[in-house]
Amino acid sequence: MDALFPTYARWDLTVESAEGSIIVDQTGKKYLDFVSGIAVCNLGHRHPAVIEAMEEQMKKYWHVSNLFKSDIQQEVAGKLVANSELDAVFFCNSGAEANEAALKLARKYTQKSKVITFQQSFHGRTFGTMAATGQDKIHSGFGPLLQEFVYHPYNDSKALEEAMNDTVAAVMVEVIQGEGGVVPGTEKFLKKIEELCKKNGSLFIIDEVQTGIGRTGKAFAHQHYNLSPDIITLAKGLGSGLPVGAMVGKEKLKEAFGPGSHGSTFGGNPISLAAAKATLSIIFQEEFLTEVKKKGVYLKAELTKALADQDFVTEIRGCGLMLGIACKAEVAANITKLRENGLLVLQAGPNVIRLLPPLTVTYEEMDEAVKLIKNCLVAEYIS
Ligand SMILES: Cc1ncc(COP(=O)(O)O)c(C=O)c1O
């Protein structure tokens, strides 16, 4: 009997164990994991520093509530603000919760209600973040949605300029649209959002849930463009697989989020934050981030070479170790085929194969993945 709600289209694969970039299923078959728990296990599976940090915290205590002061929350918050241009952190449990906090704060701080987001964006599944998500298929069946969310075309500065005015509380954007197809924002567009937000007294919110924590070769993806958002939201890679999210904002916003304004029983859980502290201690090192950048350039170049004569592929795009292979037709069958051949990858939109290897992936593992992708795409296209 299946006692779960069928909310996920699950693969026919049950994991027995996982280590580094490798997952082993219950039959003993090994897979190269270029999913990383959907951009979560950025240090690979079961990184020893994360295990040690969690074990240490577990021996002290693992939940007391946010009624108490918390050194571990202060330490992780300190790392997030030291590595961004922001000043204050609210901890929660997921990406949707981080965005929910950002949306609530934007309304409270600005005393305005309209929020602009973008077509094909993805911001989560709660009522607020579902309304922020610019995809009909996510909304379907759940209406009426939360009011005052509007979706503009991504990378269209002119459309945004025409739509912006001083009734807008916030603009929320992904620097690279992840679920929407690994679509990078242009520098011109992202800078235009910042400029228009400043001009209109609107908050500039960057959803870094998927792009953050070193994924693109910088601590946060917006740092490639020297942007100055009012808020960034984080989750996924922050706890290396332990549930934790964070909203990080500017000093000026603190007053609007005073005692009683927002909260979460589990937000900032000590075990999750011990995992986050260990994770950030490794990832927020210049040498580590430089290596991610190098690996990203290598993987993109190798894929481009390997797939050059493959006219099923239209573009290889993305940044760091967040890459998309855009194809001419649906890629679901290719993804199944790759899995059968031992490589786990994701779909993003109907036509894009999304690669999110652990940031600790080796060059040999990347070579192996490129070989499997080349073989599979050739076979699938010909057949
Ligand atoms: C950009 C972005 N924002 C928000 C979310 C939602 O995060 P969560 O599933 O942790 O609620 C996701 C999840 O895929 C995401 O990619």
Side-chain angles (χ1 to χ4, degrees), residues 96-173:
E97 282 185 41
N99 286 336
E100 198 71 40
L103 294 169
K104 280 182 71 176
L105 179 55
R107 282 196 170 176
K108 186 123 190 290
Y109 176 79
T110 63
Q111 291 294 301
K112 302 190 269 189
S113 49
K114 189 168 162 184
V115 176
I116 291 181
T117 66
F118 298 95
Q119 291 162 10
Q120 297 311 315
S121 60
F122 184 80
H123 299 294
R125 301 278 193 169
T126 60
F127 264 100
T129 60
M130 174 175 67
T133 293
Q135 298 190 46
D136 290 345
K137 69 170 196 227
I138 305 285
H139 302 159
S140 178
F142 295 112
L145 299 181
L146 195 63
Q147 300 278 294
E148 302 250 40
F149 285 81
V150 286
Y151 320 108
H152 285 281
Y154 193 62
N155 278 334
D156 187 338
S157 305
K158 196 157 169 279
L160 184 66
E161 195 150 23
E162 282 163 11
M164 260 320 256
N165 58 48
D166 63 7
T167 68
V168 175
V171 179
M172 181 183 262
V173 68

Side-chain angles (χ1 to χ4, degrees), residues 52-206:
E52 192 187 325
M54 288 195 296
E55 280 177 352
E56 206 177 291
Q57 182 61 42
M58 214 141 29
K59 284 182 201 145
K60 295 188 197 162
Y61 64 96
W62 61 72
H63 177 82
V64 287
S65 105
N66 284 314
L67 292 170
F68 298 81
K69 288 186 173 176
S70 169
D71 286 346
I72 188 93
Q73 287 187 8
Q74 289 289 352
E75 282 179 79
V76 178
K79 284 185 191 296
L80 293 173
V81 303
N83 285 278
S84 66
E85 317 71 32
L86 300 165
D87 309 295
V89 180
F90 172 81
F91 286 113
C92 52
N93 308 284
S94 67
E97 282 185 41
N99 286 336
E100 198 71 40
L103 294 169
K104 280 182 71 176
L105 179 55
R107 282 196 170 176
K108 186 123 190 290
Y109 176 79
T110 63
Q111 291 294 301
K112 302 190 269 189
S113 49
K114 189 168 162 184
V115 176
I116 291 181
T117 66
F118 298 95
Q119 291 162 10
Q120 297 311 315
S121 60
F122 184 80
H123 299 294
R125 301 278 193 169
T126 60
F127 264 100
T129 60
M130 174 175 67
T133 293
Q135 298 190 46
D136 290 345
K137 69 170 196 227
I138 305 285
H139 302 159
S140 178
F142 295 112
L145 299 181
L146 195 63
Q147 300 278 294
E148 302 250 40
F149 285 81
V150 286
Y151 320 108
H152 285 281
Y154 193 62
N155 278 334
D156 187 338
S157 305
K158 196 157 169 279
L160 184 66
E161 195 150 23
E162 282 163 11
M164 260 320 256
N165 58 48
D166 63 7
T167 68
V168 175
V171 179
M172 181 183 262
V173 68
E174 296 157 88
V175 173
I176 302 172
Q177 287 192 329
E179 305 300 311
V182 193
V183 183
T186 63
E187 181 165 7
K188 181 178 158 221
F189 174 64
L190 296 165
K191 287 238 160 84
K192 179 56 81 177
I193 300 177
E194 180 173 325
E195 178 199 316
L196 290 170
C197 282
K198 275 210 185 94
K199 192 168 136 198
N200 290 286
S202 316
L203 294 189
F204 178 25
I205 303 173
I206 299 189

